[in-house]
Amino acid sequence: MTHENRYRAYTLSNYKEIPQIKNLSSQDIEAIEVVGRVLPFKANNYVVEQLIDWNNIPNDPIFTLTFPRKEMLSTAHYEQVLNMLDRDPSDPIYKEAIDTIRRDLNPNPAGQEHNVPTLEGFRLDGMQHKYRETVLFFPSQGQTCHAYCTFCFRWPQFTGMNDLKFASREADLLHRYLLEHKEVTDVLFTGGDPLTATANILSAYIEPLLTEEFAHIRTIRIGSKALSYWPYRFLTDRDADNLIELFTKVRKAGKNLAFQAHFNHPAELSTDVVKQAIDRIKSTGAQIRTQSPLLNKINNHPDIWVDMWQKQVDLGCIPYYMFIARDTGSKVFFEVPLDQAWELFRNAYSRVSGVCRTVRGPSMSAFPGKVIVTGVAKVKDEKVFILEFLQCRNPDLVGIPFFAKYDADATWLDQLEPAFDEKEFFYEKDNLLGDNSDDRNLWE
């Protein structure tokens, strides 16, 4: 095994062992130490050696995707943590202060806690069931990542705040729930990154779903950043062959296997090893669908998206989503106003061929559902955003256009107001979404 495919993680405890760190300024080092106490920090040797351009620090996009920057915290929070750096992290006063800051950062955006289903009165904290056809499952053995994204909306999974964590090691509960909910056709294994778990563990969750008993489950989805941050997972890791064999079993059982790959910048598609990993996944019959949020300082230019979508299609992947970064964690650092997001998407979309136009966006995964910005227009002499649901807690509302007052500064749904002097958006009327928590499964 060569050095480059032998995994090595870098965290706050050992990041100074990275040879290139000596070239960082004292301010950059301080930011890693401070912000890394609040938001989780983890990189690895593949990211450090093959993806980051250390001649372009701190502005290199992959560096910014993985290494903390000062602006990722508010000035007040930054100074508070800076003044506590000498405190013992196990000190209860220190821990309480850090956790208070974390709770100020909206750690469960879009009401994720309201998506947790129940089985026989028992709350299934390792699952989410927001949309009728799709269940999300968080295998506890996959609640870490090969490296952490600084924009991640699931950052509480990695901070040790167990009351904010989604995770389950009970395969039986997943299977029992699915047998009671025949409306579910898709199961999405997510995290963290489920592909940090072993192939044997994943098999225990997935292989029972390939039997006739689960004929209603038509698609297995795996949400993973492994192609970007550790493509050796599919090539030379100890159980890489077993993982590929599992993917092949899913397809031979007649199920669709959708690999939800997260690529945030064309640089992540540039190495030989990621191209080899994509080919190996595709050889199983799996589809690779690609998605990313739109991120200031990372990919907020249409040229980047055109390049990224075209590279993905060249490699046999399917562009799927451009998201709006969720309103959590370091969002202020990464956010892009909705009108700019729509203009950027429209610009990039108009410059690619039809095979790239499978992509949808810009989309917000907000509390009511996935809301897409389909345009900015003047209607009845009022400038408005045109919006619609791609997915909704109430599936009857999908595809119905609705309008919000134009706001050049708005970056998220809850900052928008209804247009035309309406007091509520249409989905807020007549209890169409049900009670915010108790009726989350309105479609049952």
Side-chain angles (χ1 to χ4, degrees), residues 79-211:
E79 292 298 324
Q80 183 181 356
V81 178
L82 180 62
N83 292 330
M84 295 191 299
L85 282 184
D86 293 334
R87 299 288 291 266
D88 181 351
S90 63
D91 181 340
I93 295 176
Y94 171 91
K95 187 176 185 306
E96 181 179 357
I98 295 296
D99 284 355
T100 298
I101 293 173
R102 288 171 175 161
R103 292 181 189 280
D104 283 346
L105 301 179
N106 190 24
N108 266 331
Q112 292 182 93
E113 68 276 12
H114 297 311
N115 305 333
V116 176
T118 58
L119 180 66
E120 299 171 359
F122 179 70
R123 182 178 164 92
L124 303 178
D125 288 313
M127 294 173 58
Q128 291 186 25
H129 194 180
K130 181 176 181 179
Y131 306 129
R132 178 177 55 199
E133 294 85 3
T134 306
V135 159
L136 278 63
F137 186 74
F138 299 73
S140 60
Q141 304 90 338
Q143 297 315 305
T144 183
C145 288
H146 294 99
Y148 295 150
C149 295
T150 46
F151 67 82
C152 182
F153 77 90
R154 289 215 177 105
W155 58 270
Q157 296 287 101
F158 321 127
T159 61
M161 299 177 73
N162 290 333
D163 61 318
L164 298 177
K165 187 172 182 176
F166 298 100
S168 176
R169 61 176 63 248
E170 298 294 337
D172 178 61
L173 291 178
L174 168 66
H175 300 146
R176 285 168 55 197
Y177 183 83
L178 293 176
L179 287 175
E180 290 195 10
H181 289 267
K182 296 296 179 69
E183 75 279 3
V184 176
T185 60
D186 292 37
V187 179
L188 169 58
F189 291 89
T190 186
D193 191 325
L195 295 186
T196 57
T198 67
N200 282 341
I201 287 171
L202 289 174
S203 294
Y205 292 116
I206 292 175
E207 287 201 38
L209 303 180
L210 309 184
T211 63

Side-chain angles (χ1 to χ4, degrees), residues 227 231-232 234-235 271-281:
L227 272 173
Y232 298 109
F234 311 97
L235 300 171
T271 67
D272 289 337
V273 66
V274 73
K275 296 170 186 175
Q276 293 165 17
I278 287 172
D279 282 344
R280 194 164 196 218
I281 293 171

Side-chain angles (χ1 to χ4, degrees), residues 248-264:
T248 303
K249 284 182 181 178
V250 174
R251 292 297 296 130
K252 285 184 175 178
K255 309 284 186 181
N256 179 39
L257 178 59
F259 193 98
Q260 313 286 118
H262 298 255
F263 291 108
N264 308 124

Side-chain angles (χ1 to χ4, degrees), residues 42-63:
K42 181 181 178 183
N44 67 49
N45 48 309
Y46 174 75
V47 172
V48 166
E49 295 168 11
Q50 298 196 49
L51 297 185
I52 293 175
D53 178 2
W54 290 94
N55 294 315
N56 186 30
I57 301 301
N59 297 318
D60 176 73
I62 309 302
F63 178 83

